[in-house]
Amino acid sequence: MTKEEIKKEFKEKFSDLRKILNSWDLIPGSPKDEFDGLNHQILGHLYKGAGFEKVTRVLASELTVTYGLWTDEDDAKKITTDIMEWWNSTERLTK
């Protein structure tokens, strides 16, 4: 895969993950790029092979610490489930 192909793939996955995070409407009325920092963190972990538990911990921590949102573990797990289902489906398509 060329550098340009890698960049294109990352941008597509970034956009897809942005849609997933925004679909949860965690901060009603927020700009569409509100969670881009979290998006980068999650994608970085996914590219490194992180599993469900790691992504859940990152998500819950960031939503609480960075965004000041109260989230319980069940909420984080629900969002992570959406993320992991998407990630696993995109990985199958690229292999």
Side-chain angles (χ1 to χ4, degrees):
M1 193 177 263
T2 68
K3 187 175 182 178
E4 292 305 315
E5 290 171 328
I6 293 169
K7 280 182 170 180
K8 183 181 180 214
E9 177 186 289
F10 184 86
K11 286 175 90 173
E12 289 171 359
K13 287 186 177 185
F14 188 90
S15 178
D16 289 346
L17 183 54
R18 177 189 269 181
K19 289 174 188 171
I20 292 168
L21 291 174
N22 287 341
S23 75
W24 280 86
D25 202 24
L26 297 167
I27 302 175
S30 64
K32 67 179 184 175
D33 64 351
E34 182 69 33
F35 296 101
D36 283 359
L38 177 58
N39 192 343
H40 275 287
Q41 284 189 46
I42 291 171
L43 271 181
H45 286 291
L46 290 171
Y47 272 105
K48 292 176 187 172
F52 185 88
E53 292 303 319
K54 176 67 175 180
V55 174
T56 301
R57 285 193 309 272
V58 168
L59 183 64
S61 174
E62 284 300 306
L63 290 177
T64 303
V65 174
T66 303
Y67 296 97
L69 300 173
W70 182 85
T71 182
D72 65 27
E73 193 171 327
D74 286 339
D75 289 338
K77 285 181 178 180
K78 289 175 188 174
I79 298 169
T80 302
T81 297
D82 284 353
I83 292 169
M84 297 305 291
E85 285 175 357
W86 159 78
W87 180 255
N88 291 331
S89 72
T90 63
E91 286 303 289
R92 280 192 296 275
L93 293 175
T94 59
K95 289 184 180 180

mmCIF file of all heavy atoms in Angstrom, residues 8-52:
data_model
loop_
_atom_site.group_PDB
_atom_site.id
_atom_site.type_symbol
_atom_site.label_atom_id
_atom_site.label_comp_id
_atom_site.label_asym_id
_atom_site.label_seq_id
_atom_site.Cartn_x
_atom_site.Cartn_y
_atom_site.Cartn_z
ATOM 1 N N LYS A 8 -5.478 8.007 2.350
ATOM 2 C CA LYS A 8 -6.870 7.969 1.898
ATOM 3 C C LYS A 8 -7.692 7.046 2.785
ATOM 4 O O LYS A 8 -8.806 7.386 3.200
ATOM 5 C CB LYS A 8 -6.940 7.512 0.444
ATOM 6 C CG LYS A 8 -8.348 7.509 -0.107
ATOM 7 C CD LYS A 8 -8.397 7.040 -1.543
ATOM 8 C CE LYS A 8 -9.833 7.064 -2.021
ATOM 9 N NZ LYS A 8 -10.156 6.039 -2.941
ATOM 10 N N GLU A 9 -7.151 5.864 3.083
ATOM 11 C CA GLU A 9 -7.859 4.920 3.943
ATOM 12 C C GLU A 9 -8.100 5.517 5.326
ATOM 13 O O GLU A 9 -9.203 5.418 5.881
ATOM 14 C CB GLU A 9 -7.063 3.623 4.084
ATOM 15 C CG GLU A 9 -7.721 2.625 5.023
ATOM 16 C CD GLU A 9 -6.863 1.416 5.281
ATOM 17 O OE1 GLU A 9 -6.703 0.588 4.375
ATOM 18 O OE2 GLU A 9 -6.344 1.297 6.414
ATOM 19 N N PHE A 10 -7.074 6.161 5.887
ATOM 20 C CA PHE A 10 -7.214 6.763 7.212
ATOM 21 C C PHE A 10 -8.300 7.835 7.196
ATOM 22 O O PHE A 10 -9.143 7.887 8.096
ATOM 23 C CB PHE A 10 -5.885 7.351 7.691
ATOM 24 C CG PHE A 10 -5.960 7.901 9.088
ATOM 25 C CD1 PHE A 10 -5.759 7.073 10.182
ATOM 26 C CD2 PHE A 10 -6.253 9.238 9.310
ATOM 27 C CE1 PHE A 10 -5.836 7.569 11.474
ATOM 28 C CE2 PHE A 10 -6.341 9.745 10.591
ATOM 29 C CZ PHE A 10 -6.128 8.911 11.677
ATOM 30 N N LYS A 11 -8.297 8.697 6.189
ATOM 31 C CA LYS A 11 -9.299 9.761 6.103
ATOM 32 C C LYS A 11 -10.710 9.186 6.008
ATOM 33 O O LYS A 11 -11.635 9.709 6.628
ATOM 34 C CB LYS A 11 -9.012 10.665 4.901
ATOM 35 C CG LYS A 11 -7.840 11.589 5.112
ATOM 36 C CD LYS A 11 -7.526 12.380 3.856
ATOM 37 C CE LYS A 11 -8.311 13.655 3.875
ATOM 38 N NZ LYS A 11 -7.949 14.579 2.783
ATOM 39 N N GLU A 12 -10.861 8.111 5.258
ATOM 40 C CA GLU A 12 -12.170 7.475 5.145
ATOM 41 C C GLU A 12 -12.616 6.892 6.479
ATOM 42 O O GLU A 12 -13.765 7.055 6.892
ATOM 43 C CB GLU A 12 -12.138 6.382 4.071
ATOM 44 C CG GLU A 12 -12.048 6.922 2.662
ATOM 45 C CD GLU A 12 -11.801 5.854 1.615
ATOM 46 O OE1 GLU A 12 -11.670 4.645 1.959
ATOM 47 O OE2 GLU A 12 -11.717 6.221 0.432
ATOM 48 N N LYS A 13 -11.696 6.215 7.156
ATOM 49 C CA LYS A 13 -12.040 5.623 8.456
ATOM 50 C C LYS A 13 -12.305 6.712 9.494
ATOM 51 O O LYS A 13 -13.206 6.582 10.323
ATOM 52 C CB LYS A 13 -10.942 4.665 8.920
ATOM 53 C CG LYS A 13 -10.954 3.383 8.102
ATOM 54 C CD LYS A 13 -9.992 2.361 8.611
ATOM 55 C CE LYS A 13 -10.125 1.088 7.767
ATOM 56 N NZ LYS A 13 -9.311 0.007 8.269
ATOM 57 N N PHE A 14 -11.522 7.795 9.429
ATOM 58 C CA PHE A 14 -11.734 8.916 10.332
ATOM 59 C C PHE A 14 -13.141 9.478 10.152
ATOM 60 O O PHE A 14 -13.859 9.725 11.119
ATOM 61 C CB PHE A 14 -10.677 10.003 10.072
ATOM 62 C CG PHE A 14 -10.703 11.110 11.067
ATOM 63 C CD1 PHE A 14 -9.950 11.045 12.223
ATOM 64 C CD2 PHE A 14 -11.487 12.232 10.851
ATOM 65 C CE1 PHE A 14 -9.973 12.072 13.152
ATOM 66 C CE2 PHE A 14 -11.520 13.265 11.770
ATOM 67 C CZ PHE A 14 -10.764 13.188 12.918
ATOM 68 N N SER A 15 -13.541 9.656 8.909
ATOM 69 C CA SER A 15 -14.868 10.185 8.598
ATOM 70 C C SER A 15 -15.967 9.239 9.090
ATOM 71 O O SER A 15 -16.967 9.682 9.672
ATOM 72 C CB SER A 15 -14.987 10.409 7.095
ATOM 73 O OG SER A 15 -16.268 10.868 6.759
ATOM 74 N N ASP A 16 -15.780 7.950 8.856
ATOM 75 C CA ASP A 16 -16.763 6.961 9.310
ATOM 76 C C ASP A 16 -16.889 6.956 10.832
ATOM 77 O O ASP A 16 -17.999 6.920 11.373
ATOM 78 C CB ASP A 16 -16.382 5.555 8.847
ATOM 79 C CG ASP A 16 -16.556 5.346 7.356
ATOM 80 O OD1 ASP A 16 -17.210 6.179 6.692
ATOM 81 O OD2 ASP A 16 -16.021 4.341 6.850
ATOM 82 N N LEU A 17 -15.745 6.991 11.519
ATOM 83 C CA LEU A 17 -15.773 6.986 12.982
ATOM 84 C C LEU A 17 -16.388 8.272 13.512
ATOM 85 O O LEU A 17 -17.121 8.251 14.498
ATOM 86 C CB LEU A 17 -14.370 6.772 13.555
ATOM 87 C CG LEU A 17 -14.271 6.678 15.073
ATOM 88 C CD1 LEU A 17 -15.211 5.620 15.638
ATOM 89 C CD2 LEU A 17 -12.828 6.389 15.489
ATOM 90 N N ARG A 18 -16.133 9.392 12.852
ATOM 91 C CA ARG A 18 -16.751 10.661 13.248
ATOM 92 C C ARG A 18 -18.272 10.520 13.210
ATOM 93 O O ARG A 18 -18.971 10.968 14.121
ATOM 94 C CB ARG A 18 -16.300 11.782 12.324
ATOM 95 C CG ARG A 18 -16.970 13.107 12.645
ATOM 96 C CD ARG A 18 -16.676 14.126 11.593
ATOM 97 N NE ARG A 18 -15.486 14.884 11.940
ATOM 98 C CZ ARG A 18 -15.002 15.861 11.203
ATOM 99 N NH1 ARG A 18 -15.581 16.176 10.055
ATOM 100 N NH2 ARG A 18 -13.927 16.516 11.586
ATOM 101 N N LYS A 19 -18.787 9.887 12.168
ATOM 102 C CA LYS A 19 -20.237 9.697 12.044
ATOM 103 C C LYS A 19 -20.778 8.847 13.190
ATOM 104 O O LYS A 19 -21.854 9.131 13.729
ATOM 105 C CB LYS A 19 -20.575 9.053 10.705
ATOM 106 C CG LYS A 19 -20.389 9.983 9.536
ATOM 107 C CD LYS A 19 -20.594 9.263 8.223
ATOM 108 C CE LYS A 19 -20.205 10.149 7.052
ATOM 109 N NZ LYS A 19 -20.194 9.415 5.787
ATOM 110 N N ILE A 20 -20.040 7.816 13.561
ATOM 111 C CA ILE A 20 -20.481 6.951 14.666
ATOM 112 C C ILE A 20 -20.521 7.738 15.972
ATOM 113 O O ILE A 20 -21.520 7.713 16.699
ATOM 114 C CB ILE A 20 -19.569 5.720 14.808
ATOM 115 C CG1 ILE A 20 -19.731 4.795 13.600
ATOM 116 C CG2 ILE A 20 -19.866 4.959 16.114
ATOM 117 C CD1 ILE A 20 -18.695 3.705 13.498
ATOM 118 N N LEU A 21 -19.438 8.441 16.274
ATOM 119 C CA LEU A 21 -19.394 9.203 17.525
ATOM 120 C C LEU A 21 -20.475 10.283 17.551
ATOM 121 O O LEU A 21 -21.149 10.474 18.563
ATOM 122 C CB LEU A 21 -18.010 9.826 17.722
ATOM 123 C CG LEU A 21 -16.881 8.843 18.019
ATOM 124 C CD1 LEU A 21 -15.532 9.551 18.041
ATOM 125 C CD2 LEU A 21 -17.117 8.112 19.334
ATOM 126 N N ASN A 22 -20.655 10.972 16.430
ATOM 127 C CA ASN A 22 -21.670 12.027 16.387
ATOM 128 C C ASN A 22 -23.086 11.474 16.450
ATOM 129 O O ASN A 22 -23.996 12.159 16.930
ATOM 130 C CB ASN A 22 -21.487 12.896 15.138
ATOM 131 C CG ASN A 22 -20.281 13.797 15.247
ATOM 132 O OD1 ASN A 22 -19.770 14.049 16.330
ATOM 133 N ND2 ASN A 22 -19.793 14.274 14.115
ATOM 134 N N SER A 23 -23.289 10.252 15.989
ATOM 135 C CA SER A 23 -24.631 9.666 16.022
ATOM 136 C C SER A 23 -25.131 9.475 17.455
ATOM 137 O O SER A 23 -26.338 9.384 17.683
ATOM 138 C CB SER A 23 -24.664 8.334 15.268
ATOM 139 O OG SER A 23 -24.043 7.306 16.009
ATOM 140 N N TRP A 24 -24.218 9.434 18.411
ATOM 141 C CA TRP A 24 -24.612 9.267 19.805
ATOM 142 C C TRP A 24 -25.083 10.577 20.435
ATOM 143 O O TRP A 24 -25.624 10.574 21.534
ATOM 144 C CB TRP A 24 -23.462 8.652 20.614
ATOM 145 C CG TRP A 24 -23.417 7.176 20.403
ATOM 146 C CD1 TRP A 24 -22.783 6.504 19.397
ATOM 147 C CD2 TRP A 24 -24.085 6.198 21.172
ATOM 148 N NE1 TRP A 24 -23.019 5.164 19.510
ATOM 149 C CE2 TRP A 24 -23.807 4.939 20.591
ATOM 150 C CE3 TRP A 24 -24.892 6.241 22.293
ATOM 151 C CZ2 TRP A 24 -24.312 3.754 21.111
ATOM 152 C CZ3 TRP A 24 -25.389 5.064 22.818
ATOM 153 C CH2 TRP A 24 -25.095 3.839 22.218
ATOM 154 N N ASP A 25 -24.876 11.698 19.742
ATOM 155 C CA ASP A 25 -25.342 13.014 20.209
ATOM 156 C C ASP A 25 -24.973 13.250 21.681
ATOM 157 O O ASP A 25 -25.821 13.608 22.500
ATOM 158 C CB ASP A 25 -26.855 13.135 19.992
ATOM 159 C CG ASP A 25 -27.315 14.579 19.938
ATOM 160 O OD1 ASP A 25 -26.483 15.460 19.606
ATOM 161 O OD2 ASP A 25 -28.503 14.837 20.223
ATOM 162 N N LEU A 26 -23.701 13.007 21.970
ATOM 163 C CA LEU A 26 -23.219 13.111 23.355
ATOM 164 C C LEU A 26 -23.291 14.531 23.895
ATOM 165 O O LEU A 26 -23.525 14.737 25.084
ATOM 166 C CB LEU A 26 -21.787 12.586 23.432
ATOM 167 C CG LEU A 26 -21.636 11.105 23.073
ATOM 168 C CD1 LEU A 26 -20.167 10.744 22.870
ATOM 169 C CD2 LEU A 26 -22.271 10.238 24.146
ATOM 170 N N ILE A 27 -23.077 15.506 23.026
ATOM 171 C CA ILE A 27 -23.241 16.914 23.391
ATOM 172 C C ILE A 27 -24.180 17.511 22.344
ATOM 173 O O ILE A 27 -23.744 17.893 21.255
ATOM 174 C CB ILE A 27 -21.891 17.667 23.411
ATOM 175 C CG1 ILE A 27 -20.913 17.013 24.380
ATOM 176 C CG2 ILE A 27 -22.117 19.139 23.779
ATOM 177 C CD1 ILE A 27 -19.514 17.637 24.365
ATOM 178 N N PRO A 28 -25.463 17.558 22.653
ATOM 179 C CA PRO A 28 -26.425 18.055 21.665
ATOM 180 C C PRO A 28 -26.032 19.437 21.133
ATOM 181 O O PRO A 28 -25.652 20.327 21.886
ATOM 182 C CB PRO A 28 -27.738 18.120 22.451
ATOM 183 C CG PRO A 28 -27.565 17.094 23.535
ATOM 184 C CD PRO A 28 -26.107 17.168 23.905
ATOM 185 N N GLY A 29 -26.088 19.569 19.808
ATOM 186 C CA GLY A 29 -25.784 20.838 19.171
ATOM 187 C C GLY A 29 -24.303 21.131 18.986
ATOM 188 O O GLY A 29 -23.934 22.202 18.510
ATOM 189 N N SER A 30 -23.448 20.181 19.362
ATOM 190 C CA SER A 30 -21.998 20.417 19.235
ATOM 191 C C SER A 30 -21.583 20.356 17.768
ATOM 192 O O SER A 30 -22.232 19.709 16.954
ATOM 193 C CB SER A 30 -21.213 19.400 20.058
ATOM 194 O OG SER A 30 -21.407 18.099 19.562
ATOM 195 N N PRO A 31 -20.460 21.024 17.430
ATOM 196 C CA PRO A 31 -19.974 20.953 16.051
ATOM 197 C C PRO A 31 -19.567 19.536 15.691
ATOM 198 O O PRO A 31 -19.212 18.734 16.564
ATOM 199 C CB PRO A 31 -18.764 21.890 16.031
ATOM 200 C CG PRO A 31 -18.530 22.350 17.414
ATOM 201 C CD PRO A 31 -19.629 21.851 18.283
ATOM 202 N N LYS A 32 -19.601 19.229 14.399
ATOM 203 C CA LYS A 32 -19.327 17.858 13.970
ATOM 204 C C LYS A 32 -17.893 17.418 14.265
ATOM 205 O O LYS A 32 -17.622 16.235 14.347
ATOM 206 C CB LYS A 32 -19.658 17.663 12.493
ATOM 207 C CG LYS A 32 -18.770 18.411 11.541
ATOM 208 C CD LYS A 32 -19.163 18.140 10.115
ATOM 209 C CE LYS A 32 -18.204 18.821 9.156
ATOM 210 N NZ LYS A 32 -18.478 18.501 7.776
ATOM 211 N N ASP A 33 -16.984 18.375 14.487
ATOM 212 C CA ASP A 33 -15.598 18.012 14.782
ATOM 213 C C ASP A 33 -15.287 17.991 16.279
ATOM 214 O O ASP A 33 -14.140 17.870 16.683
ATOM 215 C CB ASP A 33 -14.630 18.946 14.061
ATOM 216 C CG ASP A 33 -14.727 20.394 14.515
ATOM 217 O OD1 ASP A 33 -15.664 20.725 15.285
ATOM 218 O OD2 ASP A 33 -13.876 21.192 14.099
ATOM 219 N N GLU A 34 -16.307 18.078 17.116
ATOM 220 C CA GLU A 34 -16.123 18.148 18.570
ATOM 221 C C GLU A 34 -15.302 16.986 19.127
ATOM 222 O O GLU A 34 -14.502 17.157 20.034
ATOM 223 C CB GLU A 34 -17.491 18.182 19.271
ATOM 224 C CG GLU A 34 -17.414 18.309 20.779
ATOM 225 C CD GLU A 34 -16.912 19.680 21.227
ATOM 226 O OE1 GLU A 34 -17.198 20.666 20.542
ATOM 227 O OE2 GLU A 34 -16.245 19.747 22.269
ATOM 228 N N PHE A 35 -15.490 15.808 18.587
ATOM 229 C CA PHE A 35 -14.837 14.623 19.138
ATOM 230 C C PHE A 35 -13.659 14.141 18.280
ATOM 231 O O PHE A 35 -13.255 12.984 18.392
ATOM 232 C CB PHE A 35 -15.865 13.499 19.328
ATOM 233 C CG PHE A 35 -16.920 13.863 20.329
ATOM 234 C CD1 PHE A 35 -18.172 14.295 19.911
ATOM 235 C CD2 PHE A 35 -16.655 13.822 21.686
ATOM 236 C CE1 PHE A 35 -19.140 14.659 20.820
ATOM 237 C CE2 PHE A 35 -17.612 14.182 22.614
ATOM 238 C CZ PHE A 35 -18.866 14.610 22.182
ATOM 239 N N ASP A 36 -13.111 15.012 17.452
ATOM 240 C CA ASP A 36 -12.017 14.598 16.569
ATOM 241 C C ASP A 36 -10.769 14.144 17.332
ATOM 242 O O ASP A 36 -10.077 13.236 16.908
ATOM 243 C CB ASP A 36 -11.666 15.698 15.575
ATOM 244 C CG ASP A 36 -12.670 15.776 14.427
ATOM 245 O OD1 ASP A 36 -13.620 14.964 14.391
ATOM 246 O OD2 ASP A 36 -12.495 16.663 13.566
ATOM 247 N N GLY A 37 -10.493 14.764 18.469
ATOM 248 C CA GLY A 37 -9.355 14.319 19.291
ATOM 249 C C GLY A 37 -9.556 12.894 19.778
ATOM 250 O O GLY A 37 -8.639 12.062 19.720
ATOM 251 N N LEU A 38 -10.748 12.611 20.236
ATOM 252 C CA LEU A 38 -11.098 11.257 20.672
ATOM 253 C C LEU A 38 -11.055 10.295 19.492
ATOM 254 O O LEU A 38 -10.554 9.172 19.600
ATOM 255 C CB LEU A 38 -12.485 11.264 21.312
ATOM 256 C CG LEU A 38 -13.059 9.927 21.756
ATOM 257 C CD1 LEU A 38 -12.153 9.241 22.758
ATOM 258 C CD2 LEU A 38 -14.458 10.144 22.331
ATOM 259 N N ASN A 39 -11.531 10.762 18.360
ATOM 260 C CA ASN A 39 -11.521 9.975 17.132
ATOM 261 C C ASN A 39 -10.088 9.543 16.800
ATOM 262 O O ASN A 39 -9.834 8.364 16.542
ATOM 263 C CB ASN A 39 -12.106 10.835 16.006
ATOM 264 C CG ASN A 39 -12.427 10.070 14.747
ATOM 265 O OD1 ASN A 39 -11.960 8.963 14.543
ATOM 266 N ND2 ASN A 39 -13.205 10.679 13.892
ATOM 267 N N HIS A 40 -9.150 10.477 16.843
ATOM 268 C CA HIS A 40 -7.746 10.154 16.572
ATOM 269 C C HIS A 40 -7.215 9.113 17.558
ATOM 270 O O HIS A 40 -6.518 8.175 17.164
ATOM 271 C CB HIS A 40 -6.872 11.405 16.641
ATOM 272 C CG HIS A 40 -6.825 12.176 15.367
ATOM 273 N ND1 HIS A 40 -6.132 11.755 14.262
ATOM 274 C CD2 HIS A 40 -7.393 13.353 15.025
ATOM 275 C CE1 HIS A 40 -6.271 12.622 13.299
ATOM 276 N NE2 HIS A 40 -7.048 13.612 13.729
ATOM 277 N N GLN A 41 -7.528 9.292 18.826
ATOM 278 C CA GLN A 41 -7.054 8.344 19.838
ATOM 279 C C GLN A 41 -7.601 6.945 19.588
ATOM 280 O O GLN A 41 -6.848 5.962 19.624
ATOM 281 C CB GLN A 41 -7.472 8.803 21.233
ATOM 282 C CG GLN A 41 -6.652 9.933 21.768
ATOM 283 C CD GLN A 41 -6.982 10.179 23.220
ATOM 284 O OE1 GLN A 41 -7.072 9.244 24.010
ATOM 285 N NE2 GLN A 41 -7.171 11.432 23.569
ATOM 286 N N ILE A 42 -8.882 6.858 19.342
ATOM 287 C CA ILE A 42 -9.488 5.541 19.128
ATOM 288 C C ILE A 42 -8.913 4.885 17.881
ATOM 289 O O ILE A 42 -8.539 3.712 17.913
ATOM 290 C CB ILE A 42 -11.029 5.657 19.051
ATOM 291 C CG1 ILE A 42 -11.601 6.026 20.424
ATOM 292 C CG2 ILE A 42 -11.642 4.346 18.553
ATOM 293 C CD1 ILE A 42 -13.075 6.364 20.416
ATOM 294 N N LEU A 43 -8.823 5.631 16.784
ATOM 295 C CA LEU A 43 -8.263 5.061 15.560
ATOM 296 C C LEU A 43 -6.833 4.590 15.774
ATOM 297 O O LEU A 43 -6.445 3.520 15.307
ATOM 298 C CB LEU A 43 -8.300 6.073 14.415
ATOM 299 C CG LEU A 43 -9.550 6.096 13.564
ATOM 300 C CD1 LEU A 43 -9.422 7.133 12.457
ATOM 301 C CD2 LEU A 43 -9.866 4.746 12.969
ATOM 302 N N GLY A 44 -6.043 5.387 16.484
ATOM 303 C CA GLY A 44 -4.671 4.983 16.780
ATOM 304 C C GLY A 44 -4.615 3.653 17.511
ATOM 305 O O GLY A 44 -3.823 2.771 17.169
ATOM 306 N N HIS A 45 -5.473 3.495 18.484
ATOM 307 C CA HIS A 45 -5.509 2.237 19.242
ATOM 308 C C HIS A 45 -5.998 1.082 18.373
ATOM 309 O O HIS A 45 -5.462 -0.026 18.459
ATOM 310 C CB HIS A 45 -6.388 2.379 20.483
ATOM 311 C CG HIS A 45 -5.747 3.181 21.574
ATOM 312 N ND1 HIS A 45 -4.660 2.734 22.287
ATOM 313 C CD2 HIS A 45 -6.034 4.411 22.065
ATOM 314 C CE1 HIS A 45 -4.311 3.649 23.168
ATOM 315 N NE2 HIS A 45 -5.132 4.688 23.054
ATOM 316 N N LEU A 46 -6.997 1.340 17.540
ATOM 317 C CA LEU A 46 -7.509 0.283 16.671
ATOM 318 C C LEU A 46 -6.440 -0.175 15.676
ATOM 319 O O LEU A 46 -6.274 -1.368 15.449
ATOM 320 C CB LEU A 46 -8.762 0.753 15.922
ATOM 321 C CG LEU A 46 -10.012 0.934 16.783
ATOM 322 C CD1 LEU A 46 -11.120 1.621 15.988
ATOM 323 C CD2 LEU A 46 -10.485 -0.398 17.348
ATOM 324 N N TYR A 47 -5.720 0.773 15.097
ATOM 325 C CA TYR A 47 -4.654 0.409 14.161
ATOM 326 C C TYR A 47 -3.551 -0.392 14.851
ATOM 327 O O TYR A 47 -2.864 -1.181 14.208
ATOM 328 C CB TYR A 47 -4.058 1.648 13.487
ATOM 329 C CG TYR A 47 -4.778 2.056 12.225
ATOM 330 C CD1 TYR A 47 -5.618 3.168 12.218
ATOM 331 C CD2 TYR A 47 -4.638 1.341 11.045
ATOM 332 C CE1 TYR A 47 -6.284 3.551 11.063
ATOM 333 C CE2 TYR A 47 -5.301 1.711 9.886
ATOM 334 C CZ TYR A 47 -6.114 2.819 9.901
ATOM 335 O OH TYR A 47 -6.780 3.186 8.758
ATOM 336 N N LYS A 48 -3.390 -0.193 16.157
ATOM 337 C CA LYS A 48 -2.381 -0.944 16.918
ATOM 338 C C LYS A 48 -2.921 -2.283 17.411
ATOM 339 O O LYS A 48 -2.231 -3.020 18.109
ATOM 340 C CB LYS A 48 -1.899 -0.125 18.113
ATOM 341 C CG LYS A 48 -1.103 1.091 17.716
ATOM 342 C CD LYS A 48 -0.746 1.914 18.940
ATOM 343 C CE LYS A 48 -0.100 3.223 18.539
ATOM 344 N NZ LYS A 48 0.076 4.126 19.689
ATOM 345 N N GLY A 49 -4.169 -2.576 17.086
ATOM 346 C CA GLY A 49 -4.736 -3.871 17.454
ATOM 347 C C GLY A 49 -5.491 -3.909 18.762
ATOM 348 O O GLY A 49 -5.766 -4.987 19.292
ATOM 349 N N ALA A 50 -5.847 -2.747 19.304
ATOM 350 C CA ALA A 50 -6.579 -2.713 20.571
ATOM 351 C C ALA A 50 -7.912 -3.430 20.439
ATOM 352 O O ALA A 50 -8.562 -3.392 19.395
ATOM 353 C CB ALA A 50 -6.814 -1.273 21.013
ATOM 354 N N GLY A 51 -8.295 -4.057 21.523
ATOM 355 C CA GLY A 51 -9.562 -4.768 21.563
ATOM 356 C C GLY A 51 -10.645 -3.965 22.256
ATOM 357 O O GLY A 51 -10.463 -2.800 22.622
ATOM 358 N N PHE A 52 -11.751 -4.629 22.473
ATOM 359 C CA PHE A 52 -12.945 -4.015 23.050
ATOM 360 C C PHE A 52 -12.671 -3.319 24.384
ATOM 361 O O PHE A 52 -13.066 -2.177 24.590
ATOM 362 C CB PHE A 52 -14.029 -5.091 23.213
ATOM 363 C CG PHE A 52 -15.343 -4.558 23.683
ATOM 364 C CD1 PHE A 52 -16.275 -4.104 22.763
ATOM 365 C CD2 PHE A 52 -15.650 -4.510 25.029
ATOM 366 C CE1 PHE A 52 -17.505 -3.614 23.191
ATOM 367 C CE2 PHE A 52 -16.872 -4.019 25.463
ATOM 368 C CZ PHE A 52 -17.798 -3.563 24.538
#
